[in-house]
Each structure stands twice: as C-alpha cells, then as structure tokens.
Amino acid sequence: MGILNVTPDSFSDGGRFLDPDVAIAHGRSLAAQGADLLDVGGESTRPGADRVAPRIEQQRVLPVVEVLASEGLFVSIDTMNAATARAAVAAGARLVNDVSGGLADAEMLAAVAESDAEIALGHWRGPSSEMYARADYDDVVAEVLGELAERVDAAEAAGIPRSRIVVDPGIGFGKRGDQNWQVLRALPRLAGLGCRVLVGTSRKRFLADVLGADADLPRRDLATAVTSVLAERAGAWAVRVHDVPTTRDALAVARAWEA
Ligand code: PMM
C-alpha cells in the first residue's frame, strides 16, 4: 500500500502533494513502482496534530481519489470521518482506512456497511493530540488484541462481514517505542482474529529510536523495508509505506530466499 498524504503537515511528506495534480502524478508513480493499493489521506495523524474539518479534508482528497480510481487503480481512503468515507467511496475508493477503528465517528461503521467497501480498523486510543497520554498498558499485546477484537465485533454487528474487514495494530498510535516492537512480535496472534492484517511502520519514530534520531529518510525507508518484510513473514496482508521501491525490492529478495 503506497501512501499518498494530501496534507500540509504529515510528518515526513507534509506539503509535498497538496496540489491535486502533483498528488495524482505521485499516485500514478507509486502504482508504477509496484503499489497494489494507494492510500489517500487528507488529515495528518502525526503526534500532536489537530483535527481537520471534513469539508477541507474532502476538498483535498476527492479530486485525487476520483481520478486515480477512474484509471482502475485500487484506492483506499485514510479517514476518520464517515462523511469523507461515504464521499470517497462514491468517488471510487474501495477500502476505508480508519486508524480509529470506527471510534472517532459513530457513523463510520454504518457508512461502510451500507456500501460494498472494505474497512481497515486500526488500534487507537484517542486523537493524536492525546494519544501518548493514553499509552498506558499492563499487557500491551493482550490489550491491543482485545480492543481490536471489540472493534471487529462492532463492525460485524453494524453489518460488515469479516471478509470485508482488515485489522491494523496501529503502530505509533498510543504506543511508545518498545510497545510497538512487542505488538509487532505478536502479529501472528493478530492474524488469529480471522481478518486480513495491515501494518504501517513507515518512517515512524520507533524506527528512529533504533537508528538514531539523526537517521535521514533513506535510512528510515530501509528500516521500513526490513519491518515490512518481517510483517509479511508474520502473515500481514498489506504493508503501508511511503517508499514503494525499497520495500518492493526487500520483498522480492526475501521471496527469492524462500523460493
Ligand atoms: N499510520 C499513519 C496514517 N495512517 N493507516 C493505517 N492503516 N496504519 C497506520 O499505521 C497508519 C495509517 C501515520 O503515518 P503517516 O502520517 O506517515 O501517513
């Protein structure tokens, strides 16, 4: 899954793709580099970020979703707003990627249920402005698995069959350094929920904790490729990355080893 952030303030690529034509060109290029899905988002979820009005979010993402979907590309919409999800699905998005797992907007699960879109439910403990304050766990793995299982149950109860549900452990969302590694080590257990698994480590701070805070983007992208290969080995269905070629290369090498 290639990341297409149409935002002024995402933490590694904010402002680069705010112009719709530039965003569309970048989406095409991610697809040409081997991304099977394009994840279009109009609201930054970086730590400390403020919420964006759905109207502004939609102005950013809808023209991009519409063009890329009309070209036959698999587009997902990264949003916590039901109204944006509905509008993006109408514009051709096939997956709603909600990092809040349907918690941020009470209408979200119903909005997806009434469409034939898929939904990715992220593990989340509150908005970016407060997520680290809530990173308090006795057993991070058990709590993440339990809370995600509740979100899957809620989605099913709203009328979305498990075959249309993807789960995501929400790396960096309400989790500090080592808690992220504990959750990643437990990915096979997450797959045990019976849904496809999506993992997003791309360029995140817990990688810089390993590499050193001065690690530049190429080094973070290499680290992302390593974690993405390990996630695939642990059963992930998709990995969400900024730099598609590096992760594609790493996956090809890992597959050659196994073949
Ligand atoms: N991370 C970010 C945004 N959206 N969606 C999913 N499903 N999983 C993630 O881990 C995730 C996400 C934050 O990263 P960005 O600001 O670099 O896009």
Side-chain angles (χ1 to χ4, degrees):
M1 172 186 273
I3 300 172
L4 190 45
N5 283 327
V6 192
T7 58
D9 58 344
S10 287
F11 81 94
S12 75
D13 53 3
R16 282 186 64 199
F17 309 115
L18 202 50
D19 176 320
D21 291 334
V22 177
I24 290 162
H26 186 58
R28 290 179 183 135
S29 123
L30 292 170
Q33 290 168 340
D36 298 313
L37 297 90
L38 301 175
D39 190 39
V40 180
E43 175 177 350
S44 169
T45 49
R46 82 186 145 73
D50 288 325
R51 298 296 314 268
V52 170
R55 186 179 53 83
I56 307 278
E57 183 191 31
Q58 288 165 36
Q59 279 170 5
R60 292 176 183 166
V61 295
L62 293 180
V64 179
V65 169
E66 195 166 2
V67 171
L68 294 174
S70 75
E71 294 176 3
L73 298 170
F74 188 130
V75 176
S76 75
I77 177 70
D78 187 344
T79 186
M80 294 187 275
N81 294 309
T84 302
R86 270 199 193 95
V89 169
R94 288 159 59 188
L95 171 77
V96 175
N97 173 25
D98 180 355
V99 297
S100 83
L103 285 171
D105 185 333
E107 298 286 307
M108 181 61 96
L109 298 178
V112 174
E114 78 198 18
S115 74
D116 57 6
E118 309 194 304
I119 186 162
L121 302 167
H123 176 262
W124 187 80
R125 282 196 169 178
S128 301
S129 53
E130 21 188 291
M131 66 185 178
Y132 287 121
R134 300 191 189 173
D136 201 13
Y137 302 86
D138 288 325
D139 179 340
V140 67
V141 170
E143 288 170 54
V144 167
L145 289 177
E147 288 165 30
L148 268 178
E150 282 172 16
R151 301 319 303 150
V152 172
D153 289 346
E156 277 193 319
I160 309 171
R162 209 166 269 248
S163 58
R164 273 166 50 201
I165 302 174
V166 178
V167 288
D168 184 321
I171 296 303
F173 287 92
K175 293 162 204 81
R176 299 176 195 283
D178 188 53
Q179 294 168 337
N180 294 296
W181 294 111
Q182 291 180 52
V183 169
L184 287 171
R185 277 195 290 276
L187 276 185
R189 289 173 60 193
L190 184 55
L193 290 179
C195 301
R196 288 164 291 161
V197 175
L198 168 64
V199 179
T201 59
S202 196
R203 297 180 178 171
K204 287 186 178 170
R205 187 153 75 191
F206 80 114
L207 297 175
D209 291 345
V210 174
L211 303 176
D214 60 343
D216 57 8
L217 285 187
R219 290 181 62 205
R220 286 197 192 204
D221 286 331
L222 179 60
T224 301
V226 174
T227 49
S228 294
V229 164
L230 293 170
E232 196 214 29
R233 301 292 97 169
W237 163 73
V239 287
R240 181 180 179 280
V241 302
H242 297 87
D243 173 12
V244 169
T246 305
T247 284
R248 268 279 175 211
D249 286 350
L251 288 169
V253 171
R255 284 171 189 161
W257 177 291
E258 294 202 331

